[in-house]
Amino acid sequence: MDVLVPYDALSPKTRLEPILDEHERRSFAEAMLHDVLAALDPLPVTPRVVSTAPLDLNASVFVDERDLTPAINAALQVNDPPLAVVMADLPLATPDALECLFDRDGDVVIAPGIGGGTNAFLVRKPGFSVDFHGCSFADHREIAADAGLSVSSVDSFRLAVDIDEVADLAEVLIHGDGDAAAWLREHGIDLVIDDVGRVDVERHPGD
Amino acid sequence: MDVLVPYDALSPKTRLEPILDEHERRSFAEAMLHDVLAALDPLPVTPRVVSTAPLDLNASVFVDERDLTPAINAALQVNDPPLAVVMADLPLATPDALECLFDRDGDVVIAPGIGGGTNAFLVRKPGFSVDFHGCSFADHREIAADAGLSVSSVDSFRLAVDIDEVADLAEVLIHGDGDAAAWLREHGIDLVIDDVGRVDVERHPGD
């Protein structure tokens, strides 16, 4: 089965601007992509990165300059099912978590993201399409049901954590052991406990 | 096996103040507690609510006025293992997710919460203690390792989502189908999509 990994190579992770400059955001996004590809590597699937720009990567890369929704819908038109899509900003993904997704019954299987998103999915029959705006988890269930497709979801924290905002970086530092976690530590980004005992991240001055 | 469900009956969920008054916070916290007890109900375990004040509940309730950490440490001293602890603010918990926790190998098994917390755990040998301040997931792994206990964790989104802040309510509305989700809808709290396509919650005026 082909697994598409959509990747914004041009301006990734803009909401990390408070802590990372443009070059760093690109470099960190690439570290997360490496982690996702490493989690897919032991599984009997063929990862294909769908990138908005050419990438120098030891993986099959297809360039599609369109936004996420039209790019994935085009891929769903062109490729026969089964087909899976796994976002590139899931640095906590593990082979076990992805295997649960790929093994679960259902014409469409969704891994929900925190905040109503869709972080990964698998389609086994034609007729599904995506819309990543808004509460895409609910929308994708509805789109599948409207197309007469059965839907299920996987219960995975590791697939639910996508990295968009500075606060999300804490999850990488707590639970990650791949390139993204190493990248953050190398760039002086660490956990701190705030006044009320909650976890936050900060960047050491000078790093 | 006994499963302790710690519950703050006096001033629960203070960080929901922007959207719920004191009476409502207590009522909503009780709805979440019901959901947790309902998820435990089909499993071969004995739930025991450890409450900071007496509760009128169709379940075994023990009153312990102390804060979470000393109350749970006292329970770990008094009760022989195995013993599990499941927080009362996990309205997305399902029997399947809890069964994964209870079935997983390890002297100590932890269900991490978003933000470095510990939302549920199981101890099979004596010597473990808790400290819920700060990044308790990391601290609990360390405490277990220092006591010579093996530690594992479960990968569950449903156990990772604890409800503390207004933004967390979106998860209940998206993924919940129990008392807590019904309570929110009855009180006019619904999902909205903000200007940039992200999910948020709002309360209808007058509700």
Side-chain angles (χ1 to χ4, degrees), chain A residues 15 94 97 112-116 133-135 137 155-160 165 171 174-175 191 193-199, chain B residues 15 94 97 112-116 133-135 137 155-160 165 171 174-175 191 193 195-199:
Chain A
R15 284 189 267 157
T94 56
I114 294 165
H133 184 90
C135 185
F137 176 73
D155 176 24
S156 169
F157 171 66
R158 291 191 161 271
L159 298 182
E165 312 202 2
E171 306 298 347
I174 296 166
H175 300 284
L191 294 176
I193 308 299
D194 72 12
D195 301 343
V196 291
R198 270 177 281 178
V199 171
Chain B
R15 284 190 267 158
T94 56
I114 294 166
H133 184 91
C135 186
F137 176 74
D155 176 23
S156 170
F157 171 65
R158 290 190 161 272
L159 298 181
E165 312 202 4
E171 306 297 347
I174 296 166
H175 300 285
L191 293 175
I193 308 299
D195 302 342
V196 291
R198 270 177 280 179
V199 171

Side-chain angles (χ1 to χ4, degrees), chain B:
Chain B
M1 179 177 68
D2 281 355
V3 179
L4 307 183
V5 182
Y7 181 71
D8 179 4
L10 295 174
S11 54
K13 301 294 133 198
T14 48
R15 284 190 267 158
L16 296 178
E17 201 180 353
I19 201 163
L20 302 180
D21 69 28
E22 197 185 334
H23 173 77
E24 289 169 335
R25 294 199 297 275
R26 212 172 284 132
S27 166
F28 176 62
E30 220 171 291
M32 294 201 287
L33 172 62
H34 285 162
D35 286 342
V36 170
L37 294 174
L40 286 165
D41 191 56
L43 303 176
V45 297
T46 309
R48 298 165 67 177
V49 178
V50 181
S51 175
T52 52
L55 266 184
D56 183 18
L57 203 67
N58 187 19
S60 145
V61 178
F62 293 76
V63 174
D64 190 326
E65 290 171 6
R66 286 172 289 189
D67 284 343
L68 182 62
T69 294
I72 296 302
N73 279 330
L76 287 167
Q77 291 285 336
V78 170
N79 296 278
D80 285 332
L83 183 72
V85 173
V86 177
M87 295 303 154
D89 61 351
L90 309 179
L92 303 187
T94 56
D96 280 356
L98 289 164
E99 201 168 30
C100 279
L101 170 72
F102 298 152
D103 285 353
R104 197 167 178 89
D105 288 340
D107 297 335
V108 177
V109 187
I110 303 177
I114 294 166
T118 300
N119 284 355
F121 68 89
L122 161 68
V123 284
R124 291 200 174 89
K125 286 188 185 167
F128 184 64
S129 64
V130 295
D131 178 359
F132 285 99
H133 184 91
C135 186
S136 71
F137 176 74
D139 293 343
H140 289 155
R141 292 183 69 93
E142 206 175 305
I143 291 168
D146 287 350
L149 301 171
S150 68
V151 197
S152 62
S153 59
V154 285
D155 176 23
S156 170
F157 171 65
R158 290 190 161 272
L159 298 181
V161 174
D162 54 341
I163 306 302
D164 287 315
E165 312 202 4
V166 175
D168 301 331
L169 299 177
E171 306 297 347
V172 186
L173 291 164
I174 296 166
H175 300 285
D177 58 3
D179 284 7
W183 191 100
L184 292 175
R185 291 197 183 95
E186 275 159 25
H187 288 76
I189 294 165
D190 246 322
L191 293 175
V192 282
I193 308 299
D194 73 10
D195 302 342
V196 291
R198 270 177 280 179
V199 171
D200 201 357
V201 296
E202 69 173 10
R203 188 164 189 173
H204 301 158
D207 279 306

